[in-house]
Amino acid sequence: MLVPCDCSLHVPARPLTPLQNLTALAPCKSLTFRTKAVAAPARTSELCPELAVPCTVVRQAAKRKKKGNWVHYGGSLPAMLEALEHVQDVREALWLWEDTLSNRERTIILKEQKDWRRAVEIFDWFRRERGHELNVIHYNVVLCAVGQARRWDLVLRLWHEMHSCGVMPDNSTYGTLINACCNGGRERVALLWLGDMCKRGLMPDEVTMSIVVQAYKKAGEYETAELFFRKWSSDSSTRMEGHPRYNLYTYNTLIDTYGKAGQLEKLSDTFSQMLREGVAPSVVTFNTMIHVWGKHHGMEQVASLVRMMEEFQCFPDTRTYNILISLYRESNNIDVAEYYFWRMKAENLVPDVVSCRTLLYGYSIRGMVTKAEALLKEMDEKGFVIDEYTQSALTRMYVNAGMLEQAWRWFDRFHHQMNSECFSANIDAFGEKGYIVLAEKAFTCCLKKHMLNVSVCNVMIKGYGLVGKMDEACEVADGMERYGILPDYVTYSSLIQLLSTAKLPKKALHYLEKMQAVKLLSDCVPYSVVISSFAKNGDLRMVEYLFSEMITSGIRADVFLYSILIAAYAEVGKVQQAAAYFGLMKKDGLCENATIYNSLIKLYTKVGYVAEARETYKLLRSLDTDAILYASNCMIDLYSDHCMVKEACEIFESLKAGGSANEFSYAMMVCLYKKIARYDVAHRICKEMQGLGLLTQALSYNSVIQMYVSGGRMDDALKIFKKMLASNTPPNDATFKALNVILVRSGVTKNDIRKLELLRRNNTHDCLHQWYRALYSAVRSSTSSFQHSIIDQSGTRARPFDIDNCKSRKRNTRKQVTSKLISNG
């Protein structure tokens, strides 16, 4: 037996809950329904001795069936209904049949009344006249009428009268009451009726069951809905001695419930069961299935369902196409969305405003200006109203396309009917792309329309910030209170972020203090931004002061803020302070993360603390994170400084195995092998770097050049320098320091080297060309004692990297080189 509640009613017992409490229940959309300890409406005959018809029904106001439609009833019923149609007084209309009316005739008379007030009036006449016995069917008919009219006072009166007259409710009575309450938004009361029904041992029929499931679903109680259905289904199976067969309405209800609950497996199983039992799905079924699968990114299932619709000859309606257009637009497949829009037209279904808005929004966000304007023209011809959501998307489309005149014209067309949120979206569209003048004009329009609110001010502040107009951004924030608008968390946090990023931490601090004064500081994020800005400026005194103030005010630091503090002290090599903040973080119970460990390893590398760096690196690896490359490179650098070859190789090989070794990793290994004079291994690593395309940065070029110079491989060093110039990587001081060694070892005089340095310091346009020529001559010299120095100052404009012509020249003898050097001197 299905028993979803513990309540029971015993007629004519006194009510457990006062009637006044129940009748005062307002419709509730978001109730958590409970199936325990509910009480059905109280019944006392003393409260309702007689029904009172609220008003007299005017015959002309009611829409009634024509006489011809009543003929199928046969007998005297057509005449009775005709008399009630034209005669206001019930007794006068029915006096001929007053003593002969059967139960069936009374039922039909009540059902044929299209106005609930007339039905109550006739019902009241029946109950007053002797000999007119009213049964549960009559009550059910009138309960349905007054329930549809949402006259809950009359519903309760009829309910109490039934029991005072000894008429026991049946399944249909409860089904009628539950349906009326659910349709009227009184889901909680509907479940009270359900509880009473179950306690009486009455089994909800399939329609009632579906209505209850809908009620639970509407309240978001999907698990309760499923539990109720399972209990009902189990009890039905027992009574029917087999698996019950459900109707289409039940299946549609279940499919929709499982869909809204995101239970896709149960949704598929229900749909499959439906097909196995031979219940043909309707367009409602397919619409629900398509929508659910689409929202869960199952576009293959969507396509399959559309094909299945054709197989069942279930023709799509406008809602089907609207769902398809929306789903394919959201899945970034605008061509298919457009296809369904035109297919709808081909099937003589007129696209409604939803169809057009959905496709228009898709065109807008993809910048499809021509198609958007064509669809807009079609919508204008049909008189479709452009909603504010689509309007702002079109403004953004024109702005993104650089069509500023059209953007402003479009904004001007609608600004008279915009609300504050629409103004906000349009201002943001202008401001986000840096068109601050148009954003200001739109802001002024909003101000004149008295639509200014905090959201509008916030996007204007954002717009000014993006173009670096910090003073104007501050003016907007400072002027908000003049218009009765209080800055919110977003206002202050945006300003603090903008000013901090612009390296104006003192101004940012001013708004941080104002934010704190109005008690909008609920977390450490604004503090983090300002502290980070002071840290980047190297003002560690303010960093410490702000952190102390934040803790004193009761705001807890998070891992991100601690990482800023540790990184700030790591940057300047202050180990004790960084370690102290690390200790505070652990004391606060915050989990260490990769950023923290990377900062510590950077610090330990800078100060040369091998043991501490190694321990921290182990902790970082234990996090099983991918953010380990930076720390690994730091460790290679640290091991390289201490000539710890084995340890550095282990990390390097680990990075190579994982495919994450980068240019810096290789460069540090080259430096390491150069230090221990393993030039053969260093050379092999250089070849690997070039083969992998990892020789791109000045640091890497310098490492390789220095390695070749140290190993006496001047020709290889010159080749790397040539590659450096050809790749447009500018040499730096470290590069020229290594190249100087080549010149010195080749016997170039200090005076000639000084001239080359002078060219570099003066940034002469062909200085790199002159350096290469001098190096080339020095390296190619056949005698180590030769002074190879070729400095061309003839004034001829030479391309800096056009150095191939050097190869075609014949080698000069020492005498030729010396004479040319003197002539250029």
Side-chain angles (χ1 to χ4, degrees), residues 642-691:
H642 290 76
C643 296
M644 300 170 68
V645 179
K646 180 183 176 183
E647 291 83 353
C649 283
E650 286 177 356
I651 295 177
F652 182 60
E653 293 301 327
S654 174
L655 291 177
K656 284 175 65 177
S660 56
N662 64 0
E663 186 169 345
F664 187 83
S665 314
Y666 280 91
M668 291 303 99
M669 291 304 294
V670 169
C671 291
L672 171 60
Y673 284 111
K674 182 198 77 171
K675 277 188 176 183
I676 63 174
R678 289 291 305 276
Y679 300 113
D680 54 335
V681 181
H683 175 66
R684 177 174 55 78
I685 294 174
C686 289
K687 291 296 183 183
E688 284 184 30
M689 287 180 73
Q690 294 179 65

Side-chain angles (χ1 to χ4, degrees), residues 463-475:
Y464 278 131
L466 289 174
V467 296
K469 292 191 172 184
M470 298 304 166
D471 291 338
E472 288 83 349
C474 295
E475 284 176 12

Side-chain angles (χ1 to χ4, degrees), residues 392-406:
S392 58
L394 282 159
T395 300
R396 197 175 292 274
M397 175 192 75
Y398 283 125
V399 169
N400 291 343
M403 303 169 69
L404 301 186
E405 184 179 344
Q406 293 90 328

Side-chain angles (χ1 to χ4, degrees), residues 291-556:
H291 183 261
V292 170
W293 278 114
K295 287 299 179 184
H296 287 84
H297 311 292
M299 300 309 292
E300 291 182 6
Q301 290 86 344
V302 168
S304 176
L305 287 164
V306 172
R307 291 192 296 270
M308 193 180 291
M309 286 186 79
E310 296 177 0
E311 295 171 6
F312 278 93
Q313 294 188 340
C314 183
F315 301 107
D317 59 9
T318 303
R319 175 164 169 73
T320 313
Y321 284 114
N322 286 351
I323 292 169
L324 289 168
I325 292 168
S326 177
L327 292 176
Y328 280 104
R329 186 207 75 190
E330 291 173 4
S331 63
N332 204 28
N333 200 334
I334 195 68
D335 292 336
V336 179
E338 187 179 44
Y339 161 76
Y340 280 115
F341 182 79
W342 294 112
R343 181 171 163 182
M344 187 191 323
K345 289 183 174 182
E347 294 183 4
N348 296 321
L349 288 172
V350 180
D352 60 13
V353 67
V354 175
S355 321
C356 295
R357 285 177 181 175
T358 304
L359 187 60
L360 181 59
Y361 184 79
Y363 287 151
S364 302
I365 62 177
R366 288 164 182 80
M368 302 170 73
V369 178
T370 305
K371 290 188 175 182
E373 289 182 335
L375 185 54
L376 268 174
K377 183 179 179 182
E378 182 179 331
M379 292 177 72
D380 286 339
E381 290 171 354
K382 293 180 178 179
F384 287 163
V385 178
I386 305 293
D387 65 306
E388 294 172 337
Y389 185 67
T390 311
Q391 187 279 326
S392 58
L394 282 159
T395 300
R396 197 175 292 274
M397 175 192 75
Y398 283 125
V399 169
N400 291 343
M403 303 169 69
L404 301 186
E405 184 179 344
Q406 293 90 328
W408 182 256
R409 190 163 57 241
W410 178 253
F411 168 83
D412 192 52
R413 172 182 167 183
F414 287 95
H415 83 273
H416 296 291
Q417 60 199 51
M418 285 183 185
N419 61 17
S420 298
E421 295 309 311
C422 193
F423 270 113
S424 175
N426 280 269
I427 293 169
D428 190 48
F430 292 124
E432 205 170 51
K433 289 295 181 180
Y435 301 119
I436 200 65
V437 174
L438 292 179
E440 288 174 330
K441 286 177 67 177
F443 184 78
T444 303
C445 289
C446 181
L447 189 61
K448 290 178 179 177
K449 293 274 296 176
H450 304 290
M451 287 290 179
L452 208 63
N453 70 358
V454 67
S455 177
V456 174
C457 294
N458 287 346
V459 295
M460 198 65 226
I461 290 169
K462 172 188 170 184
Y464 278 131
L466 289 174
V467 296
K469 292 191 172 184
M470 298 304 166
D471 291 338
E472 288 83 349
C474 295
E475 284 176 12
V476 173
D478 296 338
M480 288 172 70
E481 292 185 18
R482 291 201 301 271
Y483 297 97
I485 302 168
L486 295 177
D488 62 3
Y489 180 91
V490 175
T491 312
Y492 286 118
S493 58
S494 297
L495 268 175
I496 290 167
Q497 177 70 49
L498 292 170
L499 293 167
S500 298
T501 306
K503 298 181 180 180
L504 298 169
K506 290 183 179 179
K507 278 193 173 184
L509 180 59
H510 167 70
Y511 288 101
L512 180 67
E513 291 170 347
K514 291 188 72 172
M515 190 178 186
Q516 191 173 34
V518 295
K519 298 182 179 179
L520 286 175
L521 265 175
S522 57
D523 55 53
C524 69
V525 174
Y527 268 107
S528 299
V529 175
V530 180
I531 287 173
S532 177
S533 185
F534 276 115
K536 288 176 182 176
N537 284 357
D539 193 346
L540 297 182
R541 184 184 63 84
M542 280 302 298
V543 167
E544 292 178 359
Y545 168 76
L546 286 173
F547 180 76
S548 177
E549 180 188 82
M550 186 191 78
I551 297 300
T552 305
S553 64
I555 298 175
R556 289 190 61 189

